[in-house]
Amino acid sequence: MTNLLASLICVLVFLALGYFGTLYFERRHLASLAAREATMRRHMIVTQLRSYPGYVPSDLPPQLIVVETVIAADYLKSFLAHLRKLVGGELRSFRVLMERARREATLRVLEKAYKTGYNAICNLRLESADVAGNAVSGGNRSRGAMVALLASATAYRAAPPPS
């Protein structure tokens, strides 16, 4: 009986470590994203328009910027999501994973454009992809969930907004 109790305590301790470790690193990444977004907001103009609003002809012609981002869920999130699928409902942990991937991909586009000398992007597009084989193929499924995003945008020089 004591071996069973010790095993149960050991499992609970590891689950708690995994849960709180995941929360710590996820919150740290979200805080990093918020700080980087605040910096980029001061320097860059972002629009979904296909044209270049405020375009200023310069020695830098408009350029296509493409980046990719892959963020994986840990096994605890995947396990809890499988339990949630039994009863139905929203998988909030995967929603946060998608949000982090979208924000990271957008920031990478902005940072790459800024480092190249541009101050605006337009026609920002995000495409998701299956990199871990999570789609059913031959009846096998991958163990871990991953979010892969390909982000593309056109970078250009725009006139600074009037102050």
Side-chain angles (χ1 to χ4, degrees), residues 73-83 93-94 143-146:
D74 55 67
Y75 284 113
L76 183 62
K77 271 189 184 174
S78 297
F79 175 72
L80 293 175
H82 285 297
L83 289 179
S93 59
F94 287 167
R143 290 188 179 142
M146 288 188 203

Side-chain angles (χ1 to χ4, degrees), residues 23-87:
L23 279 180
Y24 171 75
F25 288 112
E26 188 174 85
R27 286 183 180 160
R28 194 169 87 173
H29 186 230
L30 288 171
S32 165
L33 288 172
R36 289 166 53 207
E37 284 169 343
T39 302
M40 284 292 111
R41 207 174 295 127
R42 286 190 297 256
H43 302 290
M44 298 290 290
I45 301 168
V46 180
T47 180
Q48 300 295 332
L49 299 175
R50 290 181 181 223
S51 62
Y52 316 127
Y55 174 66
V56 175
S58 69
D59 57 337
L60 283 174
Q63 178 183 353
L64 178 67
I65 304 287
V66 180
V67 299
E68 49 290 317
T69 301
V70 179
I71 296 182
D74 55 67
Y75 284 113
L76 183 62
K77 271 189 184 174
S78 297
F79 175 72
L80 293 175
H82 285 297
L83 289 179
R84 182 66 175 181
K85 284 186 344 185
L86 291 175
V87 295

Side-chain angles (χ1 to χ4, degrees), residues 91-109:
L91 301 175
R92 289 185 198 99
S93 59
F94 287 167
R95 186 188 66 203
V96 172
L97 194 68
M98 282 296 296
E99 175 194 344
R100 286 173 52 205
R102 271 193 308 270
R103 289 172 66 186
E104 183 69 41
T106 303
L107 274 169
R108 287 185 184 183
V109 165

